[in-house]
Amino acid sequence: MSTMTTTSPETASPLKRLIIHHPLIAFFAIAFAGEWIAFLPLVLAQNGLGVLPYTIPEIGLVPVAQWFALPASILGPTLASFTVTAITGGKAGVQQLLRRYMLWRVGLRWYLLVLVGVPLIQLACASFFLGTAPLTAFLQQWPSYFTVYLPNVLIIAVAVQIWEEGGWSGFAIPRLQQRFGAWRAVLIFGPLWALFHLPVFFVPGQIFDQKVGAVTMIVQMALLIILATLTRIIMTWVFNNTKGSILIAILLHAALDASNGASDYIHHLLPASQLGGYSLGATLVVPLAGAVLLLILTKGKLSYKPEPAPQGVEVSQPAEMPSTSV
């Protein structure tokens, strides 16, 4: 669905004209500025770079950086998405964006893939590295899927990903695909998505246990860029097959978060003594295999079918992107 730009560049203020002519640059500028504004008190505290003479205390079992993730996501991707959409698409563009949050009629198979397929794929990958132990543990503790995994997905979705994907899937991915096509859009977005996590690199106990040098940070960021790009290839394929649904993007992002990291589902099922060096290998192998397979099967299109815009009309969001097979 296309929406006409309602703000005339001729009558708009210089700032609005800049946003109208460069919406993607404006989006990322607002998103990164908002994120850094939210994280700066932590980065500058004794918890981070130690520039300012105060320490932000831990609250409960949640890492201190997680308490800053919510305002960072709201002031970052969400604010950027709604601001640029309102200026370039007007009220109609904002309404279209909001409708995509509630776009749930996308087919049962996509819910099964996101909520059931993601943890099962993780279990299969873990079994490749660890033998039958993960599957055995799952069969013995299967109720934990409902009592641990799904609640964790819901918490992550509501606390963080509803705000992040409102920007990434609400604005960035549709605009980038419209301009560059699917695989180029992901290659552009992947590094930017990884760099969005840069503030937590300066807070020991988040990415690193202690303060590290520049070389270590650069290597870790390079790995994160690779992982982010591979993961977004898979997410973009799902996004294109679910009519551009922000809701499905939120659930998928939350499911991936609940399936990776130091507190993922496998770490719940198995003690640390049985995991060994599984995490790094599994984190890279699954998205690499999935991304390569999808790029080959879709010939790089990731099921994206651009909707041509009539002359004089600017596509704000792909609200009714066709659901297509590979």
Side-chain angles (χ1 to χ4, degrees), residues 20-54:
I20 291 170
H21 290 303
H22 305 284
L24 277 168
I25 294 176
F27 168 82
F28 284 109
I30 296 171
F32 276 77
E35 180 218 19
W36 273 99
I37 288 172
F39 266 109
L40 206 56
L42 176 59
V43 172
L44 297 178
Q46 293 298 308
N47 312 56
L49 296 176
V51 175
L52 298 179
Y54 62 84

Side-chain angles (χ1 to χ4, degrees), residues 104-274:
W104 62 273
R105 293 184 177 183
V106 296
L108 178 61
R109 65 187 183 278
W110 298 106
Y111 288 96
L112 292 176
L113 173 63
V114 169
L115 298 177
V116 180
V118 169
L120 287 181
I121 291 171
Q122 185 201 24
L123 282 167
C125 181
S127 297
F128 176 81
F129 285 91
L130 304 173
T132 60
L135 290 175
T136 301
F138 174 71
L139 292 175
Q140 294 173 344
Q141 305 175 50
W142 65 264
S144 65
Y145 170 80
F146 299 97
T147 60
V148 175
Y149 180 77
L150 288 183
N152 197 19
V153 170
L154 179 60
I155 292 171
I156 295 172
V158 173
V160 179
Q161 299 312 340
I162 190 174
W163 310 107
E164 276 201 34
E165 289 303 323
W168 307 147
S169 295
F171 189 92
I173 291 298
R175 288 277 187 158
L176 286 168
Q177 286 196 117
Q178 176 195 344
R179 184 168 179 180
F180 300 104
W183 70 268
R184 291 185 183 90
V186 175
L187 289 182
I188 294 170
F189 179 74
L192 293 171
W193 187 26
L195 287 170
F196 184 78
H197 299 83
L198 182 60
V200 297
F201 276 56
F202 300 103
V203 183
Q206 307 306 311
I207 302 296
F208 309 104
D209 294 332
Q210 57 188 357
K211 292 183 179 180
V212 298
V215 174
T216 301
M217 292 184 65
I218 291 172
V219 171
Q220 186 68 29
M221 177 55 71
L223 290 173
L224 183 58
I225 288 174
I226 294 172
L227 177 61
T229 303
L230 294 174
T231 302
R232 189 53 69 163
I233 288 173
I234 299 170
M235 294 183 69
T236 301
W237 173 73
V238 174
F239 175 81
N240 289 336
N241 278 284
T242 54
K243 308 175 185 178
S245 171
I246 298 175
L247 173 62
I248 297 299
I250 292 168
L251 292 176
L252 177 55
H253 198 157
L256 291 170
D257 284 349
S259 300
N260 292 286
S263 59
D264 63 22
Y265 192 42
I266 293 297
H267 283 75
H268 171 80
L269 294 174
L270 295 174
S273 59
Q274 288 186 256

